[in-house]
Amino acid sequence: MGTKVRRSSHAGSWYTDNPKELSDELEGWLQSCGLAKSPDVRGVIAPHAGYSYSGRAAAYAFGNIDPSIITRVFLLGPSHHYYTPKCALSTATVYKTPIGDLPIDLEVIEELKATGKFELMDIRVDEAEHSMEMHLPYLAKIFEGHQVKIVPILVGAVSAENEAMYGQVLAKYVDDPCNFFSVSSDFCHWGSRFNYMHYDKKHGAIYKSIEALDKMGMDIIETGDPNSFKQYLLEYDNTICGRHPISVFLHMLRNSSTKIKIKFLRYEQSSQCKSTRDSSVSYASAAAKVDDSSST
């Protein structure tokens, strides 16, 4: 099989395409969050906006990764432009970034294809989507000098039943400590341009209400219960664009034998909404860590 390249199509717009600048910028953010790397961290939830908006927040997720034993990274990202009720696999063999290329694990792609549950995404769909691409430079940076392969999975508008099904299919990969999971999501998109203006006055300013709503969702994600998360989304309809990847990830953790707990480490908003004319996007970063506590 020949090489099929997915270009870094958002480099030069969503983040710099200058390798030195990009590397220095990521390095700066990773240094300033001052997190200790831990081999117990087996996954992250991180934002996917342009780096000028969410690059700093994302460092609080990626800064936890100890690259020494990880050899494979599963990417779970939502689909912004292409409709599918399924999960779709990349048809590329390599994902390019300005600071190093990430080869696709074709063996695992074949394994997943063989389940008959996945569709394949066209390279144009792949390159138009930014949700996974925005995680790639961080991964290229963290795994510099390490052999790592990636398994990109585009998570479509998946039903609750199918979120559970994909969670079961992917759960076995969680038990291998060489596997890592990078889950892509922004949090609340608030304002008339997003058709979402939930406001609970008891919290004070609009941005405080948005924060309370997001924090409620983050707390529920931390419980690890996909059904409670589903209820929360039904009740508040919070515009968490990676709701499906997050739900699939919660089902994966629930179905694996390794006990893993999600903890949010950073929360930011692109701006503080004070009037209904304002708009903002929220960014939250979490680490999923092996839980050795005796309470299990």
Side-chain angles (χ1 to χ4, degrees), residues 2 42 46 48 187-188 202 229 245 262 264 275:
R42 305 282 285 281
H48 56 235
F187 273 68
C188 186
K202 75 162 185 267
F229 185 50
I262 296 170
F264 280 91
S275 91

mmCIF file of all heavy atoms in Angstrom, residues 2 42 46 48 187-188 202 229 245 262 264 275:
data_model
loop_
_atom_site.group_PDB
_atom_site.id
_atom_site.type_symbol
_atom_site.label_atom_id
_atom_site.label_comp_id
_atom_site.label_asym_id
_atom_site.label_seq_id
_atom_site.Cartn_x
_atom_site.Cartn_y
_atom_site.Cartn_z
ATOM 1 N N GLY A 2 0.551 2.193 -0.901
ATOM 2 C CA GLY A 2 1.371 3.405 -0.995
ATOM 3 C C GLY A 2 1.062 4.370 0.131
ATOM 4 O O GLY A 2 0.139 4.171 0.901
ATOM 5 N N ARG A 42 -3.760 7.974 30.989
ATOM 6 C CA ARG A 42 -3.982 7.122 29.822
ATOM 7 C C ARG A 42 -4.848 7.775 28.756
ATOM 8 O O ARG A 42 -5.131 7.194 27.721
ATOM 9 C CB ARG A 42 -4.638 5.828 30.287
ATOM 10 C CG ARG A 42 -3.826 5.124 31.377
ATOM 11 C CD ARG A 42 -2.655 4.393 30.805
ATOM 12 N NE ARG A 42 -3.160 3.215 30.167
ATOM 13 C CZ ARG A 42 -3.501 2.102 30.809
ATOM 14 N NH1 ARG A 42 -3.309 2.002 32.097
ATOM 15 N NH2 ARG A 42 -3.981 1.086 30.165
ATOM 16 N N ALA A 46 -9.358 17.381 25.485
ATOM 17 C CA ALA A 46 -8.735 18.678 25.244
ATOM 18 C C ALA A 46 -9.467 19.421 24.129
ATOM 19 O O ALA A 46 -10.068 18.804 23.251
ATOM 20 C CB ALA A 46 -7.262 18.488 24.875
ATOM 21 N N HIS A 48 -10.196 22.064 20.810
ATOM 22 C CA HIS A 48 -9.691 22.028 19.428
ATOM 23 C C HIS A 48 -9.890 23.337 18.679
ATOM 24 O O HIS A 48 -10.040 23.355 17.467
ATOM 25 C CB HIS A 48 -10.330 20.862 18.654
ATOM 26 C CG HIS A 48 -11.838 20.883 18.650
ATOM 27 N ND1 HIS A 48 -12.584 19.810 19.074
ATOM 28 C CD2 HIS A 48 -12.722 21.830 18.286
ATOM 29 C CE1 HIS A 48 -13.875 20.105 18.956
ATOM 30 N NE2 HIS A 48 -13.978 21.330 18.472
ATOM 31 N N PHE A 187 -16.197 23.220 24.964
ATOM 32 C CA PHE A 187 -17.393 23.194 25.799
ATOM 33 C C PHE A 187 -18.387 24.240 25.289
ATOM 34 O O PHE A 187 -18.524 24.401 24.078
ATOM 35 C CB PHE A 187 -17.015 23.274 27.281
ATOM 36 C CG PHE A 187 -16.739 21.896 27.847
ATOM 37 C CD1 PHE A 187 -15.621 21.171 27.441
ATOM 38 C CD2 PHE A 187 -17.632 21.293 28.718
ATOM 39 C CE1 PHE A 187 -15.386 19.884 27.900
ATOM 40 C CE2 PHE A 187 -17.411 20.002 29.190
ATOM 41 C CZ PHE A 187 -16.292 19.300 28.790
ATOM 42 N N CYS A 188 -19.094 24.930 26.176
ATOM 43 C CA CYS A 188 -20.232 25.751 25.743
ATOM 44 C C CYS A 188 -19.888 26.758 24.635
ATOM 45 O O CYS A 188 -18.928 27.519 24.747
ATOM 46 C CB CYS A 188 -20.815 26.494 26.939
ATOM 47 S SG CYS A 188 -22.325 27.384 26.527
ATOM 48 N N LYS A 202 -29.414 33.344 38.572
ATOM 49 C CA LYS A 202 -28.972 33.191 39.969
ATOM 50 C C LYS A 202 -27.443 33.174 40.100
ATOM 51 O O LYS A 202 -26.900 33.381 41.173
ATOM 52 C CB LYS A 202 -29.599 31.961 40.613
ATOM 53 C CG LYS A 202 -29.019 30.614 40.191
ATOM 54 C CD LYS A 202 -29.412 29.527 41.208
ATOM 55 C CE LYS A 202 -28.762 28.201 40.904
ATOM 56 N NZ LYS A 202 -29.599 27.328 40.065
ATOM 57 N N PHE A 229 -24.476 11.845 31.864
ATOM 58 C CA PHE A 229 -24.029 12.852 30.888
ATOM 59 C C PHE A 229 -25.107 13.057 29.825
ATOM 60 O O PHE A 229 -25.429 14.183 29.449
ATOM 61 C CB PHE A 229 -22.689 12.432 30.272
ATOM 62 C CG PHE A 229 -22.076 13.460 29.343
ATOM 63 C CD1 PHE A 229 -21.933 14.782 29.737
ATOM 64 C CD2 PHE A 229 -21.632 13.085 28.079
ATOM 65 C CE1 PHE A 229 -21.356 15.734 28.879
ATOM 66 C CE2 PHE A 229 -21.055 14.027 27.217
ATOM 67 C CZ PHE A 229 -20.918 15.348 27.616
ATOM 68 N N PRO A 245 -17.822 12.023 21.062
ATOM 69 C CA PRO A 245 -16.542 11.419 21.448
ATOM 70 C C PRO A 245 -16.414 11.228 22.963
ATOM 71 O O PRO A 245 -15.937 10.185 23.420
ATOM 72 C CB PRO A 245 -15.498 12.421 20.943
ATOM 73 C CG PRO A 245 -16.166 13.141 19.832
ATOM 74 C CD PRO A 245 -17.628 13.180 20.164
ATOM 75 N N ILE A 262 -11.520 10.284 35.262
ATOM 76 C CA ILE A 262 -11.287 11.547 34.551
ATOM 77 C C ILE A 262 -11.290 12.701 35.549
ATOM 78 O O ILE A 262 -12.146 12.773 36.426
ATOM 79 C CB ILE A 262 -12.390 11.781 33.496
ATOM 80 C CG1 ILE A 262 -12.337 10.693 32.416
ATOM 81 C CG2 ILE A 262 -12.254 13.168 32.857
ATOM 82 C CD1 ILE A 262 -13.530 10.690 31.478
ATOM 83 N N PHE A 264 -10.835 17.038 35.535
ATOM 84 C CA PHE A 264 -10.599 18.293 34.807
ATOM 85 C C PHE A 264 -9.577 19.138 35.546
ATOM 86 O O PHE A 264 -9.607 19.259 36.766
ATOM 87 C CB PHE A 264 -11.911 19.054 34.604
ATOM 88 C CG PHE A 264 -12.703 18.505 33.448
ATOM 89 C CD1 PHE A 264 -13.640 17.502 33.648
ATOM 90 C CD2 PHE A 264 -12.464 18.951 32.149
ATOM 91 C CE1 PHE A 264 -14.339 16.964 32.573
ATOM 92 C CE2 PHE A 264 -13.158 18.407 31.080
ATOM 93 C CZ PHE A 264 -14.098 17.423 31.282
ATOM 94 N N SER A 275 -23.419 40.598 28.043
ATOM 95 C CA SER A 275 -24.719 40.970 27.475
ATOM 96 C C SER A 275 -25.099 39.963 26.397
ATOM 97 O O SER A 275 -24.254 39.182 25.940
ATOM 98 C CB SER A 275 -24.656 42.376 26.870
ATOM 99 O OG SER A 275 -24.303 42.304 25.496
#
